[in-house]
Amino acid sequence: DAKTTQPTSMDCAEGRAANLPCNHSTISGNEYVYWYRQIHSQGPQYIIHGLKNNETNEMASLIITEDRKSSTLILPHATLRDTAVYYCIVLAGGYQKVTFGTGTKLQVIP
Amino acid sequence: DAMVIQNPRYQVTQFGKPVTLSCSQTLNHNVMYWYQQKSSQAPKLLFHYYDKDFNNEADTPDNFQSRRPNTSFCFLDIRSPGLGDAAMYLCATSRDFIGTSGRVNTGELFFGEGSRLTVL
């Protein structure tokens, strides 16, 4: 699986958009980009995933660059409850195990 | 309603005293995972079951064992807990389906709330 690089931490003002970047320059054609988040003392929670098109759901939007070497998770209106560690993971389309990198610790500030 | 349930939420044990953590799921998912998460670290995969097939990570100590008697239940046994085994243990499930090129895992994991183990 391709490796990912994320900033260690970020701050975002409450009500503003939180843009979390992820670099995955070695991603291959059949690999998807997945995002999870983990709120303190809870299990990780799936957010969204995509292959090459931008994706949106009720939680977030995922923007993948045309060359697929990087992506951005967007929380359009961050709330205090969005304070968490966000993990970007690259997974092949076939069966595989899910391993987590270090992630980005997002702090939403009132 | 909780779909992946872990028990107990908190477990305190003495050094060397065996511990069993349980995980049950109502999702009928065929893949189940056990992760270990220490303070301020990412979850670390210990092993997973693909149906009944057990898959151990190469660096998982022999002290950790697992059982999956049926689709719904999975257990993590720590035979002789050491101080370094104090952590949050997370159970997760996922499903796969038959795609055009074979079995495909969705990559969407459903986690329980975890069992926090303290070793005295």
PDB file of all heavy atoms in Angstrom, chain A residues 34 36 38 41-44 46 87 91 93-102, chain B residues 33 35 37 42-43 45 48 50 57 90 103-109 111-112:
ATOM      1  N   TYR A  34      -8.813   6.792   1.672  1.00  0.00           N
ATOM      2  CA  TYR A  34      -9.802   6.719   2.739  1.00  0.00           C
ATOM      3  C   TYR A  34      -9.441   7.721   3.829  1.00  0.00           C
ATOM      4  O   TYR A  34      -8.277   7.951   4.110  1.00  0.00           O
ATOM      5  CB  TYR A  34      -9.822   5.323   3.375  1.00  0.00           C
ATOM      6  CG  TYR A  34     -10.565   4.278   2.598  1.00  0.00           C
ATOM      7  CD1 TYR A  34     -10.009   3.697   1.466  1.00  0.00           C
ATOM      8  CD2 TYR A  34     -11.821   3.858   3.018  1.00  0.00           C
ATOM      9  CE1 TYR A  34     -10.695   2.727   0.761  1.00  0.00           C
ATOM     10  CE2 TYR A  34     -12.515   2.884   2.318  1.00  0.00           C
ATOM     11  CZ  TYR A  34     -11.948   2.327   1.195  1.00  0.00           C
ATOM     12  OH  TYR A  34     -12.631   1.356   0.492  1.00  0.00           O
ATOM     13  N   TYR A  36     -10.410   8.537   7.938  1.00  0.00           N
ATOM     14  CA  TYR A  36     -11.031   8.186   9.208  1.00  0.00           C
ATOM     15  C   TYR A  36     -10.727   9.293  10.203  1.00  0.00           C
ATOM     16  O   TYR A  36      -9.772  10.040  10.041  1.00  0.00           O
ATOM     17  CB  TYR A  36     -10.447   6.879   9.759  1.00  0.00           C
ATOM     18  CG  TYR A  36     -10.987   5.629   9.143  1.00  0.00           C
ATOM     19  CD1 TYR A  36     -10.537   5.194   7.907  1.00  0.00           C
ATOM     20  CD2 TYR A  36     -11.944   4.867   9.812  1.00  0.00           C
ATOM     21  CE1 TYR A  36     -11.035   4.030   7.338  1.00  0.00           C
ATOM     22  CE2 TYR A  36     -12.446   3.705   9.249  1.00  0.00           C
ATOM     23  CZ  TYR A  36     -11.986   3.298   8.014  1.00  0.00           C
ATOM     24  OH  TYR A  36     -12.482   2.150   7.461  1.00  0.00           O
ATOM     25  N   GLN A  38     -10.651   9.968  14.676  1.00  0.00           N
ATOM     26  CA  GLN A  38     -10.759   9.374  15.996  1.00  0.00           C
ATOM     27  C   GLN A  38     -10.883  10.489  17.021  1.00  0.00           C
ATOM     28  O   GLN A  38      -9.929  11.232  17.263  1.00  0.00           O
ATOM     29  CB  GLN A  38      -9.559   8.481  16.303  1.00  0.00           C
ATOM     30  CG  GLN A  38      -9.707   7.719  17.605  1.00  0.00           C
ATOM     31  CD  GLN A  38      -8.600   6.729  17.843  1.00  0.00           C
ATOM     32  OE1 GLN A  38      -7.493   6.862  17.312  1.00  0.00           O
ATOM     33  NE2 GLN A  38      -8.877   5.714  18.639  1.00  0.00           N
ATOM     34  N   SER A  41     -10.657   9.010  23.049  1.00  0.00           N
ATOM     35  CA  SER A  41     -11.208   7.888  23.824  1.00  0.00           C
ATOM     36  C   SER A  41     -12.326   7.136  23.108  1.00  0.00           C
ATOM     37  O   SER A  41     -13.089   6.412  23.735  1.00  0.00           O
ATOM     38  CB  SER A  41     -11.734   8.365  25.192  1.00  0.00           C
ATOM     39  OG  SER A  41     -10.672   8.823  25.978  1.00  0.00           O
ATOM     40  N   GLN A  42     -12.428   7.309  21.798  1.00  0.00           N
ATOM     41  CA  GLN A  42     -13.383   6.536  21.010  1.00  0.00           C
ATOM     42  C   GLN A  42     -12.645   5.763  19.926  1.00  0.00           C
ATOM     43  O   GLN A  42     -11.479   6.042  19.627  1.00  0.00           O
ATOM     44  CB  GLN A  42     -14.424   7.439  20.361  1.00  0.00           C
ATOM     45  CG  GLN A  42     -15.295   8.201  21.348  1.00  0.00           C
ATOM     46  CD  GLN A  42     -16.356   9.036  20.648  1.00  0.00           C
ATOM     47  OE1 GLN A  42     -16.685   8.806  19.493  1.00  0.00           O
ATOM     48  NE2 GLN A  42     -16.890  10.014  21.359  1.00  0.00           N
ATOM     49  N   GLY A  43     -13.322   4.790  19.322  1.00  0.00           N
ATOM     50  CA  GLY A  43     -12.746   4.088  18.186  1.00  0.00           C
ATOM     51  C   GLY A  43     -12.769   4.967  16.945  1.00  0.00           C
ATOM     52  O   GLY A  43     -13.584   5.886  16.836  1.00  0.00           O
ATOM     53  N   PRO A  44     -11.877   4.721  15.997  1.00  0.00           N
ATOM     54  CA  PRO A  44     -11.908   5.488  14.752  1.00  0.00           C
ATOM     55  C   PRO A  44     -13.241   5.353  14.033  1.00  0.00           C
ATOM     56  O   PRO A  44     -13.936   4.348  14.152  1.00  0.00           O
ATOM     57  CB  PRO A  44     -10.780   4.860  13.929  1.00  0.00           C
ATOM     58  CG  PRO A  44      -9.850   4.278  14.944  1.00  0.00           C
ATOM     59  CD  PRO A  44     -10.747   3.794  16.044  1.00  0.00           C
ATOM     60  N   TYR A  46     -15.124   5.922  10.216  1.00  0.00           N
ATOM     61  CA  TYR A  46     -14.981   6.139   8.774  1.00  0.00           C
ATOM     62  C   TYR A  46     -15.644   7.460   8.398  1.00  0.00           C
ATOM     63  O   TYR A  46     -16.731   7.796   8.877  1.00  0.00           O
ATOM     64  CB  TYR A  46     -15.631   4.982   8.028  1.00  0.00           C
ATOM     65  CG  TYR A  46     -15.902   5.243   6.558  1.00  0.00           C
ATOM     66  CD1 TYR A  46     -14.906   5.060   5.607  1.00  0.00           C
ATOM     67  CD2 TYR A  46     -17.151   5.663   6.136  1.00  0.00           C
ATOM     68  CE1 TYR A  46     -15.151   5.282   4.266  1.00  0.00           C
ATOM     69  CE2 TYR A  46     -17.405   5.901   4.794  1.00  0.00           C
ATOM     70  CZ  TYR A  46     -16.403   5.704   3.860  1.00  0.00           C
ATOM     71  OH  TYR A  46     -16.656   5.941   2.539  1.00  0.00           O
ATOM     72  N   TYR A  87      -7.091  10.533  10.039  1.00  0.00           N
ATOM     73  CA  TYR A  87      -6.161   9.616   9.377  1.00  0.00           C
ATOM     74  C   TYR A  87      -6.494   9.501   7.885  1.00  0.00           C
ATOM     75  O   TYR A  87      -7.646   9.265   7.525  1.00  0.00           O
ATOM     76  CB  TYR A  87      -6.253   8.216   9.988  1.00  0.00           C
ATOM     77  CG  TYR A  87      -5.854   8.124  11.430  1.00  0.00           C
ATOM     78  CD1 TYR A  87      -6.808   8.071  12.437  1.00  0.00           C
ATOM     79  CD2 TYR A  87      -4.513   8.041  11.796  1.00  0.00           C
ATOM     80  CE1 TYR A  87      -6.450   7.962  13.772  1.00  0.00           C
ATOM     81  CE2 TYR A  87      -4.143   7.925  13.123  1.00  0.00           C
ATOM     82  CZ  TYR A  87      -5.115   7.887  14.103  1.00  0.00           C
ATOM     83  OH  TYR A  87      -4.745   7.770  15.417  1.00  0.00           O
ATOM     84  N   LEU A  91      -5.669   2.482   0.240  1.00  0.00           N
ATOM     85  CA  LEU A  91      -5.961   1.056   0.197  1.00  0.00           C
ATOM     86  C   LEU A  91      -6.200   0.604  -1.232  1.00  0.00           C
ATOM     87  O   LEU A  91      -6.874   1.286  -1.995  1.00  0.00           O
ATOM     88  CB  LEU A  91      -7.213   0.746   1.020  1.00  0.00           C
ATOM     89  CG  LEU A  91      -7.153   1.026   2.513  1.00  0.00           C
ATOM     90  CD1 LEU A  91      -8.529   0.841   3.134  1.00  0.00           C
ATOM     91  CD2 LEU A  91      -6.147   0.111   3.185  1.00  0.00           C
ATOM     92  N   GLY A  93      -7.876  -1.748  -4.141  1.00  0.00           N
ATOM     93  CA  GLY A  93      -9.269  -2.101  -4.320  1.00  0.00           C
ATOM     94  C   GLY A  93      -9.605  -3.516  -3.915  1.00  0.00           C
ATOM     95  O   GLY A  93     -10.741  -3.829  -3.593  1.00  0.00           O
ATOM     96  N   GLY A  94      -8.617  -4.388  -3.920  1.00  0.00           N
ATOM     97  CA  GLY A  94      -8.883  -5.756  -3.511  1.00  0.00           C
ATOM     98  C   GLY A  94      -8.847  -5.889  -2.012  1.00  0.00           C
ATOM     99  O   GLY A  94      -8.727  -4.923  -1.274  1.00  0.00           O
ATOM    100  N   TYR A  95      -8.919  -7.104  -1.532  1.00  0.00           N
ATOM    101  CA  TYR A  95      -8.906  -7.329  -0.094  1.00  0.00           C
ATOM    102  C   TYR A  95      -7.571  -6.926   0.519  1.00  0.00           C
ATOM    103  O   TYR A  95      -6.519  -7.221  -0.013  1.00  0.00           O
ATOM    104  CB  TYR A  95      -9.159  -8.808   0.209  1.00  0.00           C
ATOM    105  CG  TYR A  95      -8.899  -9.126   1.642  1.00  0.00           C
ATOM    106  CD1 TYR A  95      -9.741  -8.645   2.635  1.00  0.00           C
ATOM    107  CD2 TYR A  95      -7.771  -9.829   2.024  1.00  0.00           C
ATOM    108  CE1 TYR A  95      -9.492  -8.899   3.968  1.00  0.00           C
ATOM    109  CE2 TYR A  95      -7.515 -10.089   3.361  1.00  0.00           C
ATOM    110  CZ  TYR A  95      -8.376  -9.626   4.321  1.00  0.00           C
ATOM    111  OH  TYR A  95      -8.112  -9.877   5.626  1.00  0.00           O
ATOM    112  N   GLN A  96      -7.617  -6.263   1.626  1.00  0.00           N
ATOM    113  CA  GLN A  96      -6.391  -5.897   2.326  1.00  0.00           C
ATOM    114  C   GLN A  96      -6.721  -5.525   3.767  1.00  0.00           C
ATOM    115  O   GLN A  96      -7.878  -5.307   4.123  1.00  0.00           O
ATOM    116  CB  GLN A  96      -5.712  -4.698   1.658  1.00  0.00           C
ATOM    117  CG  GLN A  96      -6.415  -3.385   1.953  1.00  0.00           C
ATOM    118  CD  GLN A  96      -7.589  -3.114   1.060  1.00  0.00           C
ATOM    119  OE1 GLN A  96      -7.366  -2.786  -0.064  1.00  0.00           O
ATOM    120  NE2 GLN A  96      -8.814  -3.250   1.534  1.00  0.00           N
ATOM    121  N   LYS A  97      -5.713  -5.457   4.571  1.00  0.00           N
ATOM    122  CA  LYS A  97      -5.880  -5.017   5.947  1.00  0.00           C
ATOM    123  C   LYS A  97      -5.701  -3.506   6.006  1.00  0.00           C
ATOM    124  O   LYS A  97      -5.058  -2.910   5.144  1.00  0.00           O
ATOM    125  CB  LYS A  97      -4.848  -5.708   6.832  1.00  0.00           C
ATOM    126  CG  LYS A  97      -3.425  -5.468   6.368  1.00  0.00           C
ATOM    127  CD  LYS A  97      -2.472  -6.416   7.041  1.00  0.00           C
ATOM    128  CE  LYS A  97      -1.050  -6.160   6.522  1.00  0.00           C
ATOM    129  NZ  LYS A  97      -0.082  -7.145   7.019  1.00  0.00           N
ATOM    130  N   VAL A  98      -6.253  -2.899   7.015  1.00  0.00           N
ATOM    131  CA  VAL A  98      -6.222  -1.447   7.176  1.00  0.00           C
ATOM    132  C   VAL A  98      -5.225  -1.086   8.265  1.00  0.00           C
ATOM    133  O   VAL A  98      -5.378  -1.503   9.412  1.00  0.00           O
ATOM    134  CB  VAL A  98      -7.625  -0.915   7.537  1.00  0.00           C
ATOM    135  CG1 VAL A  98      -7.581   0.596   7.753  1.00  0.00           C
ATOM    136  CG2 VAL A  98      -8.605  -1.254   6.425  1.00  0.00           C
ATOM    137  N   THR A  99      -4.196  -0.344   7.896  1.00  0.00           N
ATOM    138  CA  THR A  99      -3.215   0.117   8.879  1.00  0.00           C
ATOM    139  C   THR A  99      -3.234   1.640   8.919  1.00  0.00           C
ATOM    140  O   THR A  99      -3.441   2.293   7.899  1.00  0.00           O
ATOM    141  CB  THR A  99      -1.799  -0.376   8.545  1.00  0.00           C
ATOM    142  OG1 THR A  99      -1.469   0.042   7.213  1.00  0.00           O
ATOM    143  CG2 THR A  99      -1.714  -1.885   8.627  1.00  0.00           C
ATOM    144  N   PHE A 100      -3.033   2.185  10.116  1.00  0.00           N
ATOM    145  CA  PHE A 100      -3.131   3.626  10.349  1.00  0.00           C
ATOM    146  C   PHE A 100      -1.747   4.244  10.473  1.00  0.00           C
ATOM    147  O   PHE A 100      -0.862   3.680  11.106  1.00  0.00           O
ATOM    148  CB  PHE A 100      -3.910   3.904  11.632  1.00  0.00           C
ATOM    149  CG  PHE A 100      -5.370   3.557  11.540  1.00  0.00           C
ATOM    150  CD1 PHE A 100      -5.807   2.265  11.754  1.00  0.00           C
ATOM    151  CD2 PHE A 100      -6.311   4.528  11.240  1.00  0.00           C
ATOM    152  CE1 PHE A 100      -7.150   1.941  11.665  1.00  0.00           C
ATOM    153  CE2 PHE A 100      -7.657   4.219  11.145  1.00  0.00           C
ATOM    154  CZ  PHE A 100      -8.084   2.926  11.358  1.00  0.00           C
ATOM    155  N   GLY A 101      -1.580   5.420   9.877  1.00  0.00           N
ATOM    156  CA  GLY A 101      -0.377   6.219  10.076  1.00  0.00           C
ATOM    157  C   GLY A 101      -0.571   7.127  11.279  1.00  0.00           C
ATOM    158  O   GLY A 101      -1.454   6.904  12.109  1.00  0.00           O
ATOM    159  N   THR A 102       0.233   8.164  11.369  1.00  0.00           N
ATOM    160  CA  THR A 102       0.211   9.017  12.556  1.00  0.00           C
ATOM    161  C   THR A 102      -0.938  10.011  12.553  1.00  0.00           C
ATOM    162  O   THR A 102      -1.376  10.466  13.596  1.00  0.00           O
ATOM    163  CB  THR A 102       1.530   9.782  12.708  1.00  0.00           C
ATOM    164  OG1 THR A 102       1.803  10.459  11.479  1.00  0.00           O
ATOM    165  CG2 THR A 102       2.677   8.811  13.021  1.00  0.00           C
TER     166      THR A 102
ATOM    167  N   TYR B  33     -11.184  -7.420  13.175  1.00  0.00           N
ATOM    168  CA  TYR B  33      -9.811  -6.973  13.436  1.00  0.00           C
ATOM    169  C   TYR B  33      -9.640  -6.681  14.935  1.00  0.00           C
ATOM    170  O   TYR B  33     -10.577  -6.243  15.604  1.00  0.00           O
ATOM    171  CB  TYR B  33      -9.518  -5.659  12.710  1.00  0.00           C
ATOM    172  CG  TYR B  33      -9.807  -5.618  11.231  1.00  0.00           C
ATOM    173  CD1 TYR B  33     -11.106  -5.475  10.756  1.00  0.00           C
ATOM    174  CD2 TYR B  33      -8.768  -5.671  10.297  1.00  0.00           C
ATOM    175  CE1 TYR B  33     -11.371  -5.390   9.397  1.00  0.00           C
ATOM    176  CE2 TYR B  33      -9.030  -5.593   8.930  1.00  0.00           C
ATOM    177  CZ  TYR B  33     -10.337  -5.456   8.495  1.00  0.00           C
ATOM    178  OH  TYR B  33     -10.587  -5.378   7.145  1.00  0.00           O
ATOM    179  N   TYR B  35      -7.029  -4.226  17.147  1.00  0.00           N
ATOM    180  CA  TYR B  35      -5.980  -3.225  17.151  1.00  0.00           C
ATOM    181  C   TYR B  35      -5.581  -2.921  18.592  1.00  0.00           C
ATOM    182  O   TYR B  35      -6.414  -2.957  19.497  1.00  0.00           O
ATOM    183  CB  TYR B  35      -6.454  -1.920  16.524  1.00  0.00           C
ATOM    184  CG  TYR B  35      -6.643  -1.948  15.023  1.00  0.00           C
ATOM    185  CD1 TYR B  35      -7.823  -2.425  14.457  1.00  0.00           C
ATOM    186  CD2 TYR B  35      -5.653  -1.482  14.171  1.00  0.00           C
ATOM    187  CE1 TYR B  35      -8.000  -2.438  13.085  1.00  0.00           C
ATOM    188  CE2 TYR B  35      -5.817  -1.484  12.796  1.00  0.00           C
ATOM    189  CZ  TYR B  35      -6.988  -1.962  12.262  1.00  0.00           C
ATOM    190  OH  TYR B  35      -7.154  -1.970  10.893  1.00  0.00           O
ATOM    191  N   GLN B  37      -3.921   0.237  20.787  1.00  0.00           N
ATOM    192  CA  GLN B  37      -3.596   1.652  20.692  1.00  0.00           C
ATOM    193  C   GLN B  37      -3.067   2.153  22.029  1.00  0.00           C
ATOM    194  O   GLN B  37      -3.796   2.178  23.014  1.00  0.00           O
ATOM    195  CB  GLN B  37      -4.799   2.481  20.260  1.00  0.00           C
ATOM    196  CG  GLN B  37      -4.446   3.949  20.004  1.00  0.00           C
ATOM    197  CD  GLN B  37      -5.586   4.730  19.403  1.00  0.00           C
ATOM    198  OE1 GLN B  37      -6.741   4.421  19.617  1.00  0.00           O
ATOM    199  NE2 GLN B  37      -5.258   5.770  18.630  1.00  0.00           N
ATOM    200  N   ALA B  42      -1.046   5.892  16.974  1.00  0.00           N
ATOM    201  CA  ALA B  42      -2.080   5.395  16.076  1.00  0.00           C
ATOM    202  C   ALA B  42      -2.431   3.959  16.434  1.00  0.00           C
ATOM    203  O   ALA B  42      -1.613   3.243  17.034  1.00  0.00           O
ATOM    204  CB  ALA B  42      -1.585   5.467  14.631  1.00  0.00           C
ATOM    205  N   PRO B  43      -3.613   3.505  16.088  1.00  0.00           N
ATOM    206  CA  PRO B  43      -3.946   2.088  16.305  1.00  0.00           C
ATOM    207  C   PRO B  43      -2.995   1.194  15.527  1.00  0.00           C
ATOM    208  O   PRO B  43      -2.651   1.468  14.375  1.00  0.00           O
ATOM    209  CB  PRO B  43      -5.374   1.975  15.750  1.00  0.00           C
ATOM    210  CG  PRO B  43      -5.920   3.360  15.804  1.00  0.00           C
ATOM    211  CD  PRO B  43      -4.752   4.260  15.531  1.00  0.00           C
ATOM    212  N   LEU B  45      -2.392  -2.672  14.184  1.00  0.00           N
ATOM    213  CA  LEU B  45      -3.084  -3.922  13.902  1.00  0.00           C
ATOM    214  C   LEU B  45      -2.337  -5.090  14.538  1.00  0.00           C
ATOM    215  O   LEU B  45      -1.132  -5.265  14.324  1.00  0.00           O
ATOM    216  CB  LEU B  45      -3.199  -4.126  12.391  1.00  0.00           C
ATOM    217  CG  LEU B  45      -3.954  -5.354  11.918  1.00  0.00           C
ATOM    218  CD1 LEU B  45      -5.423  -5.295  12.359  1.00  0.00           C
ATOM    219  CD2 LEU B  45      -3.873  -5.480  10.394  1.00  0.00           C
ATOM    220  N   HIS B  48      -6.181 -10.187  12.292  1.00  0.00           N
ATOM    221  CA  HIS B  48      -7.549 -10.102  11.818  1.00  0.00           C
ATOM    222  C   HIS B  48      -8.002 -11.464  11.313  1.00  0.00           C
ATOM    223  O   HIS B  48      -7.184 -12.331  11.002  1.00  0.00           O
ATOM    224  CB  HIS B  48      -7.704  -9.029  10.735  1.00  0.00           C
ATOM    225  CG  HIS B  48      -7.061  -9.366   9.421  1.00  0.00           C
ATOM    226  ND1 HIS B  48      -5.713  -9.230   9.177  1.00  0.00           N
ATOM    227  CD2 HIS B  48      -7.594  -9.811   8.264  1.00  0.00           C
ATOM    228  CE1 HIS B  48      -5.445  -9.566   7.944  1.00  0.00           C
ATOM    229  NE2 HIS B  48      -6.560  -9.936   7.355  1.00  0.00           N
ATOM    230  N   TYR B  50     -10.339 -13.233   8.447  1.00  0.00           N
ATOM    231  CA  TYR B  50     -11.090 -13.144   7.199  1.00  0.00           C
ATOM    232  C   TYR B  50     -11.925 -14.418   7.162  1.00  0.00           C
ATOM    233  O   TYR B  50     -11.423 -15.498   6.861  1.00  0.00           O
ATOM    234  CB  TYR B  50     -10.147 -13.055   6.004  1.00  0.00           C
ATOM    235  CG  TYR B  50     -10.831 -12.665   4.731  1.00  0.00           C
ATOM    236  CD1 TYR B  50     -10.827 -11.349   4.298  1.00  0.00           C
ATOM    237  CD2 TYR B  50     -11.488 -13.616   3.960  1.00  0.00           C
ATOM    238  CE1 TYR B  50     -11.457 -10.979   3.126  1.00  0.00           C
ATOM    239  CE2 TYR B  50     -12.122 -13.251   2.796  1.00  0.00           C
ATOM    240  CZ  TYR B  50     -12.103 -11.937   2.372  1.00  0.00           C
ATOM    241  OH  TYR B  50     -12.736 -11.577   1.211  1.00  0.00           O
ATOM    242  N   GLU B  57      -0.247 -10.482  12.452  1.00  0.00           N
ATOM    243  CA  GLU B  57       0.799  -9.567  12.011  1.00  0.00           C
ATOM    244  C   GLU B  57       2.151 -10.108  12.483  1.00  0.00           C
ATOM    245  O   GLU B  57       2.260 -10.715  13.555  1.00  0.00           O
ATOM    246  CB  GLU B  57       0.584  -8.173  12.578  1.00  0.00           C
ATOM    247  CG  GLU B  57      -0.637  -7.475  11.991  1.00  0.00           C
ATOM    248  CD  GLU B  57      -0.543  -7.317  10.493  1.00  0.00           C
ATOM    249  OE1 GLU B  57       0.345  -6.596  10.007  1.00  0.00           O
ATOM    250  OE2 GLU B  57      -1.381  -7.939   9.797  1.00  0.00           O
ATOM    251  N   LEU B  90      -8.918  -2.157  20.444  1.00  0.00           N
ATOM    252  CA  LEU B  90     -10.045  -1.824  19.580  1.00  0.00           C
ATOM    253  C   LEU B  90     -10.388  -3.000  18.675  1.00  0.00           C
ATOM    254  O   LEU B  90      -9.513  -3.590  18.052  1.00  0.00           O
ATOM    255  CB  LEU B  90      -9.692  -0.620  18.702  1.00  0.00           C
ATOM    256  CG  LEU B  90      -9.464   0.693  19.436  1.00  0.00           C
ATOM    257  CD1 LEU B  90      -8.685   1.665  18.569  1.00  0.00           C
ATOM    258  CD2 LEU B  90     -10.781   1.316  19.856  1.00  0.00           C
ATOM    259  N   ARG B 103     -12.757 -11.103  -4.769  1.00  0.00           N
ATOM    260  CA  ARG B 103     -13.267 -10.549  -3.517  1.00  0.00           C
ATOM    261  C   ARG B 103     -12.702  -9.143  -3.317  1.00  0.00           C
ATOM    262  O   ARG B 103     -11.530  -8.883  -3.554  1.00  0.00           O
ATOM    263  CB  ARG B 103     -12.867 -11.444  -2.344  1.00  0.00           C
ATOM    264  CG  ARG B 103     -13.424 -12.854  -2.467  1.00  0.00           C
ATOM    265  CD  ARG B 103     -13.246 -13.633  -1.198  1.00  0.00           C
ATOM    266  NE  ARG B 103     -14.321 -13.365  -0.256  1.00  0.00           N
ATOM    267  CZ  ARG B 103     -14.574 -14.114   0.797  1.00  0.00           C
ATOM    268  NH1 ARG B 103     -13.808 -15.143   1.062  1.00  0.00           N
ATOM    269  NH2 ARG B 103     -15.555 -13.817   1.617  1.00  0.00           N
ATOM    270  N   VAL B 104     -13.538  -8.277  -2.852  1.00  0.00           N
ATOM    271  CA  VAL B 104     -13.159  -6.881  -2.622  1.00  0.00           C
ATOM    272  C   VAL B 104     -13.616  -6.499  -1.224  1.00  0.00           C
ATOM    273  O   VAL B 104     -14.749  -6.780  -0.832  1.00  0.00           O
ATOM    274  CB  VAL B 104     -13.835  -5.939  -3.644  1.00  0.00           C
ATOM    275  CG1 VAL B 104     -13.463  -4.488  -3.352  1.00  0.00           C
ATOM    276  CG2 VAL B 104     -13.435  -6.325  -5.060  1.00  0.00           C
ATOM    277  N   ASN B 105     -12.719  -5.904  -0.470  1.00  0.00           N
ATOM    278  CA  ASN B 105     -13.086  -5.400   0.849  1.00  0.00           C
ATOM    279  C   ASN B 105     -13.417  -3.928   0.728  1.00  0.00           C
ATOM    280  O   ASN B 105     -12.690  -3.174   0.064  1.00  0.00           O
ATOM    281  CB  ASN B 105     -11.932  -5.619   1.836  1.00  0.00           C
ATOM    282  CG  ASN B 105     -12.362  -5.386   3.261  1.00  0.00           C
ATOM    283  OD1 ASN B 105     -12.462  -4.251   3.697  1.00  0.00           O
ATOM    284  ND2 ASN B 105     -12.641  -6.451   3.979  1.00  0.00           N
ATOM    285  N   THR B 106     -14.481  -3.507   1.372  1.00  0.00           N
ATOM    286  CA  THR B 106     -14.910  -2.129   1.197  1.00  0.00           C
ATOM    287  C   THR B 106     -13.934  -1.131   1.809  1.00  0.00           C
ATOM    288  O   THR B 106     -13.932   0.036   1.440  1.00  0.00           O
ATOM    289  CB  THR B 106     -16.289  -1.891   1.842  1.00  0.00           C
ATOM    290  OG1 THR B 106     -16.170  -2.101   3.262  1.00  0.00           O
ATOM    291  CG2 THR B 106     -17.314  -2.852   1.269  1.00  0.00           C
ATOM    292  N   GLY B 107     -13.115  -1.572   2.771  1.00  0.00           N
ATOM    293  CA  GLY B 107     -12.195  -0.652   3.419  1.00  0.00           C
ATOM    294  C   GLY B 107     -12.861   0.210   4.469  1.00  0.00           C
ATOM    295  O   GLY B 107     -12.214   1.015   5.122  1.00  0.00           O
ATOM    296  N   GLU B 108     -14.169   0.053   4.635  1.00  0.00           N
ATOM    297  CA  GLU B 108     -14.879   0.819   5.651  1.00  0.00           C
ATOM    298  C   GLU B 108     -14.977  -0.042   6.891  1.00  0.00           C
ATOM    299  O   GLU B 108     -15.690  -1.042   6.909  1.00  0.00           O
ATOM    300  CB  GLU B 108     -16.266   1.204   5.163  1.00  0.00           C
ATOM    301  CG  GLU B 108     -17.054   2.014   6.185  1.00  0.00           C
ATOM    302  CD  GLU B 108     -18.435   2.390   5.699  1.00  0.00           C
ATOM    303  OE1 GLU B 108     -18.716   2.193   4.495  1.00  0.00           O
ATOM    304  OE2 GLU B 108     -19.235   2.885   6.514  1.00  0.00           O
ATOM    305  N   LEU B 109     -14.260   0.345   7.922  1.00  0.00           N
ATOM    306  CA  LEU B 109     -14.245  -0.386   9.172  1.00  0.00           C
ATOM    307  C   LEU B 109     -15.218   0.217  10.165  1.00  0.00           C
ATOM    308  O   LEU B 109     -15.358   1.435  10.242  1.00  0.00           O
ATOM    309  CB  LEU B 109     -12.839  -0.379   9.783  1.00  0.00           C
ATOM    310  CG  LEU B 109     -11.903  -1.515   9.389  1.00  0.00           C
ATOM    311  CD1 LEU B 109     -11.643  -1.511   7.901  1.00  0.00           C
ATOM    312  CD2 LEU B 109     -10.621  -1.445  10.173  1.00  0.00           C
ATOM    313  N   PHE B 111     -15.796   0.351  14.121  1.00  0.00           N
ATOM    314  CA  PHE B 111     -15.079   0.107  15.364  1.00  0.00           C
ATOM    315  C   PHE B 111     -16.016   0.087  16.556  1.00  0.00           C
ATOM    316  O   PHE B 111     -17.035   0.786  16.595  1.00  0.00           O
ATOM    317  CB  PHE B 111     -14.045   1.219  15.603  1.00  0.00           C
ATOM    318  CG  PHE B 111     -12.785   1.055  14.807  1.00  0.00           C
ATOM    319  CD1 PHE B 111     -12.713   1.509  13.504  1.00  0.00           C
ATOM    320  CD2 PHE B 111     -11.672   0.439  15.361  1.00  0.00           C
ATOM    321  CE1 PHE B 111     -11.558   1.367  12.759  1.00  0.00           C
ATOM    322  CE2 PHE B 111     -10.510   0.298  14.625  1.00  0.00           C
ATOM    323  CZ  PHE B 111     -10.450   0.753  13.323  1.00  0.00           C
ATOM    324  N   GLY B 112     -15.622  -0.715  17.545  1.00  0.00           N
ATOM    325  CA  GLY B 112     -16.246  -0.630  18.850  1.00  0.00           C
ATOM    326  C   GLY B 112     -15.640   0.520  19.636  1.00  0.00           C
ATOM    327  O   GLY B 112     -14.749   1.228  19.147  1.00  0.00           O
TER     328      GLY B 112
END
